Short mmCIF file of all heavy atoms in Angstrom, two decimals:
data_model
loop_
_atom_site.label_atom_id
_atom_site.label_comp_id
_atom_site.label_asym_id
_atom_site.label_seq_id
_atom_site.Cartn_x
_atom_site.Cartn_y
_atom_site.Cartn_z
N LEU G 194 -4.33 11.49 -20.26
CA LEU G 194 -3.23 12.31 -19.76
C LEU G 194 -2.90 13.50 -20.67
O LEU G 194 -2.04 14.32 -20.35
CB LEU G 194 -1.97 11.46 -19.61
CG LEU G 194 -2.07 10.28 -18.64
CD1 LEU G 194 -0.78 9.50 -18.63
CD2 LEU G 194 -2.44 10.76 -17.25
N LEU G 195 -3.59 13.57 -21.81
CA LEU G 195 -3.27 14.58 -22.83
C LEU G 195 -3.07 15.98 -22.28
O LEU G 195 -2.11 16.66 -22.62
CB LEU G 195 -4.39 14.63 -23.88
CG LEU G 195 -4.36 13.58 -24.98
CD1 LEU G 195 -5.62 13.69 -25.83
CD2 LEU G 195 -3.13 13.77 -25.84
N CYS G 196 -3.99 16.41 -21.43
CA CYS G 196 -3.98 17.81 -20.99
C CYS G 196 -3.42 17.95 -19.58
O CYS G 196 -3.68 18.97 -18.92
CB CYS G 196 -5.37 18.41 -21.10
SG CYS G 196 -6.05 18.31 -22.74
N ASP G 197 -2.70 16.94 -19.11
CA ASP G 197 -2.09 17.01 -17.80
C ASP G 197 -3.12 17.34 -16.72
O ASP G 197 -3.01 18.35 -16.02
CB ASP G 197 -0.98 18.08 -17.83
CG ASP G 197 -0.02 17.87 -16.68
OD1 ASP G 197 -0.12 16.83 -16.01
OD2 ASP G 197 0.81 18.76 -16.45
N PRO G 198 -4.15 16.50 -16.56
CA PRO G 198 -5.24 16.81 -15.63
C PRO G 198 -4.81 16.64 -14.18
O PRO G 198 -3.83 15.95 -13.89
CB PRO G 198 -6.29 15.75 -15.99
CG PRO G 198 -5.48 14.59 -16.45
CD PRO G 198 -4.30 15.17 -17.17
N SER G 199 -5.54 17.29 -13.27
CA SER G 199 -5.19 17.09 -11.87
C SER G 199 -5.88 15.87 -11.29
O SER G 199 -5.50 15.38 -10.24
CB SER G 199 -5.49 18.34 -11.04
OG SER G 199 -6.67 18.95 -11.45
N LEU G 200 -6.93 15.38 -11.98
CA LEU G 200 -7.62 14.19 -11.49
C LEU G 200 -7.96 13.26 -12.65
O LEU G 200 -8.46 13.70 -13.68
CB LEU G 200 -8.92 14.60 -10.77
CG LEU G 200 -9.80 13.48 -10.24
CD1 LEU G 200 -9.10 12.68 -9.16
CD2 LEU G 200 -11.12 14.04 -9.70
N VAL G 201 -7.66 11.98 -12.47
CA VAL G 201 -8.01 10.99 -13.49
C VAL G 201 -8.99 10.00 -12.87
O VAL G 201 -8.74 9.45 -11.80
CB VAL G 201 -6.77 10.23 -14.00
CG1 VAL G 201 -7.17 9.09 -14.93
CG2 VAL G 201 -5.83 11.19 -14.72
N LEU G 202 -10.13 9.80 -13.54
CA LEU G 202 -11.09 8.80 -13.09
C LEU G 202 -10.85 7.54 -13.90
O LEU G 202 -10.89 7.58 -15.13
CB LEU G 202 -12.52 9.29 -13.34
CG LEU G 202 -12.88 10.71 -12.89
CD1 LEU G 202 -14.30 11.07 -13.31
CD2 LEU G 202 -12.71 10.83 -11.38
N ALA G 203 -10.58 6.44 -13.22
CA ALA G 203 -10.33 5.19 -13.94
C ALA G 203 -11.40 4.18 -13.52
O ALA G 203 -11.42 3.72 -12.39
CB ALA G 203 -8.94 4.67 -13.62
N ASP G 204 -12.31 3.87 -14.46
CA ASP G 204 -13.41 2.96 -14.15
C ASP G 204 -13.02 1.55 -14.56
O ASP G 204 -13.07 1.20 -15.73
CB ASP G 204 -14.67 3.42 -14.88
CG ASP G 204 -15.88 2.56 -14.52
OD1 ASP G 204 -15.75 1.68 -13.65
OD2 ASP G 204 -16.95 2.79 -15.11
N GLU G 205 -12.67 0.73 -13.59
CA GLU G 205 -12.26 -0.66 -13.87
C GLU G 205 -11.30 -0.72 -15.06
O GLU G 205 -11.59 -1.41 -16.04
CB GLU G 205 -13.49 -1.52 -14.17
CG GLU G 205 -14.62 -1.29 -13.18
CD GLU G 205 -15.04 -2.54 -12.44
OE1 GLU G 205 -14.29 -3.54 -12.48
OE2 GLU G 205 -16.09 -2.51 -11.80
N PRO G 206 -10.18 -0.05 -14.98
CA PRO G 206 -9.32 0.07 -16.17
C PRO G 206 -8.67 -1.24 -16.59
O PRO G 206 -8.09 -1.30 -17.67
CB PRO G 206 -8.26 1.09 -15.73
CG PRO G 206 -8.21 0.96 -14.25
CD PRO G 206 -9.59 0.62 -13.81
N THR G 207 -8.76 -2.27 -15.78
CA THR G 207 -8.08 -3.52 -16.14
C THR G 207 -9.03 -4.69 -16.27
O THR G 207 -8.62 -5.78 -16.69
CB THR G 207 -7.01 -3.89 -15.08
OG1 THR G 207 -7.66 -4.01 -13.82
CG2 THR G 207 -5.94 -2.82 -14.99
N THR G 208 -10.30 -4.50 -15.94
CA THR G 208 -11.22 -5.63 -15.89
C THR G 208 -11.35 -6.35 -17.22
O THR G 208 -11.49 -7.57 -17.27
CB THR G 208 -12.62 -5.13 -15.46
OG1 THR G 208 -12.45 -4.34 -14.30
CG2 THR G 208 -13.53 -6.28 -15.14
N ALA G 209 -11.28 -5.60 -18.33
CA ALA G 209 -11.51 -6.22 -19.64
C ALA G 209 -10.25 -6.84 -20.23
O ALA G 209 -10.27 -7.33 -21.34
CB ALA G 209 -12.09 -5.18 -20.60
N LEU G 210 -9.15 -6.80 -19.49
CA LEU G 210 -7.88 -7.25 -20.06
C LEU G 210 -7.45 -8.62 -19.54
O LEU G 210 -7.92 -9.09 -18.51
CB LEU G 210 -6.79 -6.23 -19.72
CG LEU G 210 -7.07 -4.78 -20.16
CD1 LEU G 210 -6.05 -3.84 -19.58
CD2 LEU G 210 -7.08 -4.69 -21.68
N ASP G 211 -6.54 -9.25 -20.26
CA ASP G 211 -5.95 -10.52 -19.81
C ASP G 211 -5.21 -10.30 -18.50
O ASP G 211 -4.70 -9.20 -18.24
CB ASP G 211 -4.91 -11.02 -20.83
CG ASP G 211 -5.56 -11.42 -22.13
OD1 ASP G 211 -6.80 -11.59 -22.12
OD2 ASP G 211 -4.85 -11.54 -23.13
N VAL G 212 -5.13 -11.34 -17.71
CA VAL G 212 -4.54 -11.21 -16.37
C VAL G 212 -3.13 -10.63 -16.41
O VAL G 212 -2.79 -9.73 -15.65
CB VAL G 212 -4.54 -12.57 -15.66
CG1 VAL G 212 -4.02 -12.42 -14.24
CG2 VAL G 212 -5.94 -13.15 -15.63
N THR G 213 -2.31 -11.12 -17.34
CA THR G 213 -0.92 -10.62 -17.38
C THR G 213 -0.89 -9.14 -17.75
O THR G 213 -0.10 -8.37 -17.21
CB THR G 213 -0.09 -11.41 -18.41
OG1 THR G 213 -0.85 -11.48 -19.61
CG2 THR G 213 0.23 -12.79 -17.91
N ILE G 214 -1.77 -8.76 -18.67
CA ILE G 214 -1.83 -7.36 -19.09
C ILE G 214 -2.34 -6.49 -17.94
O ILE G 214 -1.90 -5.36 -17.75
CB ILE G 214 -2.75 -7.21 -20.32
CG1 ILE G 214 -2.45 -8.25 -21.38
CG2 ILE G 214 -2.65 -5.81 -20.89
CD1 ILE G 214 -1.18 -8.02 -22.15
N GLN G 215 -3.29 -7.05 -17.16
CA GLN G 215 -3.84 -6.30 -16.02
C GLN G 215 -2.73 -5.78 -15.13
O GLN G 215 -2.71 -4.61 -14.76
CB GLN G 215 -4.76 -7.20 -15.19
CG GLN G 215 -6.09 -7.47 -15.83
CD GLN G 215 -7.04 -8.22 -14.91
OE1 GLN G 215 -6.72 -8.46 -13.75
NE2 GLN G 215 -8.19 -8.57 -15.44
N ALA G 216 -1.80 -6.67 -14.80
CA ALA G 216 -0.72 -6.28 -13.90
C ALA G 216 0.13 -5.18 -14.53
O ALA G 216 0.49 -4.21 -13.87
CB ALA G 216 0.14 -7.50 -13.57
N GLN G 217 0.39 -5.32 -15.83
CA GLN G 217 1.19 -4.29 -16.51
C GLN G 217 0.51 -2.93 -16.47
O GLN G 217 1.15 -1.90 -16.22
CB GLN G 217 1.40 -4.67 -17.98
CG GLN G 217 2.30 -5.86 -18.19
CD GLN G 217 2.35 -6.25 -19.66
OE1 GLN G 217 1.92 -5.49 -20.53
NE2 GLN G 217 2.85 -7.45 -19.93
N ILE G 218 -0.79 -2.92 -16.71
CA ILE G 218 -1.52 -1.65 -16.75
C ILE G 218 -1.55 -1.02 -15.36
O ILE G 218 -1.38 0.19 -15.20
CB ILE G 218 -2.95 -1.86 -17.31
CG1 ILE G 218 -2.88 -2.30 -18.78
CG2 ILE G 218 -3.78 -0.59 -17.18
CD1 ILE G 218 -2.43 -1.24 -19.76
#
Side-chain angles (χ1 to χ4, degrees):
Chain G
L194 300 178
L195 278 174
C196 303
D197 199 9
S199 38
L200 177 64
V201 173
L202 312 176
D204 184 4
E205 314 239 14
T207 58
T208 311
L210 304 170
D211 292 345
V212 184
T213 47
I214 313 286
Q215 286 187 4
Q217 291 175 14
I218 295 289

